Amino acid sequence: MSIWDQLKKAPAGVPRSGLGRWFQLLEDRFMKLFWANFLWLLCMIPFLGCLFFALQAGDVLSAAGAGLFWVLAGPANTYLCFAAMQVVRGRPVWVRQDFIGCLRACGLRSMGFAALTGLLWGGLFWAVRLVLAVQGGLGLLYALAFLCDAFVLTGVTFFGHQQLAMLRLPFGAQLKNAFLLIFAGGARSFAAVAFLLAALGAGLCLYRYFVFVLLLGLPAVAVMTGSLIFYPVFARLFAADGQAPGGNSA
């Protein structure tokens, strides 16, 4: 029996744990993740196009367009987090219905949250470009500072959209939780955020193949993996049998 078979095979109806659980989810629910990723990608194309031109040419207009389309794509990011959490929890994923539900229930709040994170991410990229232009390189201290900043922003972005997707809390409480959850979950929070930051960094380093990464559904797989790592903390801190944003059973 191969290592793959040992990891993914389990008696019918019996969930695995650890890496085996990841393989089991991927085998059983990949197509749901793929179509959720496809719908998310359709919403992200304008942002990704503007971001590409902004990074290549430093065009201010493209940068402004990237910021605007990032805000408009906020509900799509919330939806992707919701679909990933549904897969992790073994709940049904209704691709189109869940997307419409996210738009109706938390569309404006998702765009407001995206506006905040967009300003923070934009400030980080501007600072990196400024240091590179002035000094010609980052240096160890600057690199560590920017890495810590990116780590926190990755955690705030991920946990914030996850909060919007899964919990009905006041917007201020969701913002607060998005930051506190980076530290509240201990090793699991750290591992989930570190994995997502590493996935983002790998995507930027392999930008020539980024189109294939997007089309294959790997962003949804990455979000699902981060959700799977963090889910025991989420289940301990929050009610795990709540309602989906659109009112469907979560």
Side-chain angles (χ1 to χ4, degrees), residues 49-94:
C50 288
L51 180 64
F52 174 79
F53 287 111
L55 293 176
Q56 292 295 317
D59 183 15
V60 176
L61 187 60
S62 296
L68 173 62
F69 288 120
W70 171 259
V71 172
L72 294 178
N77 290 324
T78 299
Y79 161 73
L80 192 66
C81 287
F82 175 70
M85 284 291 284
Q86 290 291 82
V87 168
V88 169
R89 297 168 66 189
R91 304 295 178 86
V93 176
W94 308 102

Side-chain angles (χ1 to χ4, degrees), residues 171-243:
F171 187 66
Q174 289 175 330
L175 290 178
K176 179 181 177 181
N177 288 344
F179 177 76
L180 293 179
L181 285 173
I182 301 173
F183 312 99
R188 282 192 173 274
S189 292
F190 180 86
V193 177
F195 171 81
L196 291 169
L197 181 59
L200 178 62
L204 292 175
C205 292
L206 301 173
Y207 71 94
R208 294 180 180 177
Y209 310 100
F210 204 48
V211 173
F212 302 102
V213 170
L214 294 173
L215 290 176
L216 287 173
L218 295 186
V221 173
V223 174
M224 184 273 288
T225 304
S227 300
L228 181 62
I229 295 170
F230 180 72
Y231 182 70
V233 179
F234 181 91
R236 185 176 74 246
L237 295 177
F238 306 107
D241 57 348
Q243 291 284 311

Side-chain angles (χ1 to χ4, degrees), residues 53-139:
F53 287 111
L55 293 176
Q56 292 295 317
D59 183 15
V60 176
L61 187 60
S62 296
L68 173 62
F69 288 120
W70 171 259
V71 172
L72 294 178
N77 290 324
T78 299
Y79 161 73
L80 192 66
C81 287
F82 175 70
M85 284 291 284
Q86 290 291 82
V87 168
V88 169
R89 297 168 66 189
R91 304 295 178 86
V93 176
W94 308 102
V95 176
R96 181 176 61 85
Q97 295 92 325
D98 289 340
F99 180 75
I100 295 173
C102 284
L103 280 177
R104 289 176 176 173
C106 54
L108 290 177
R109 289 195 298 169
S110 293
M111 286 189 281
F113 180 74
L116 175 62
T117 57
L119 287 173
L120 295 174
W121 278 109
L124 175 60
F125 286 130
W126 178 83
V128 171
R129 290 178 65 90
L130 181 63
V131 171
L132 289 174
V134 172
Q135 296 192 355
L138 290 179

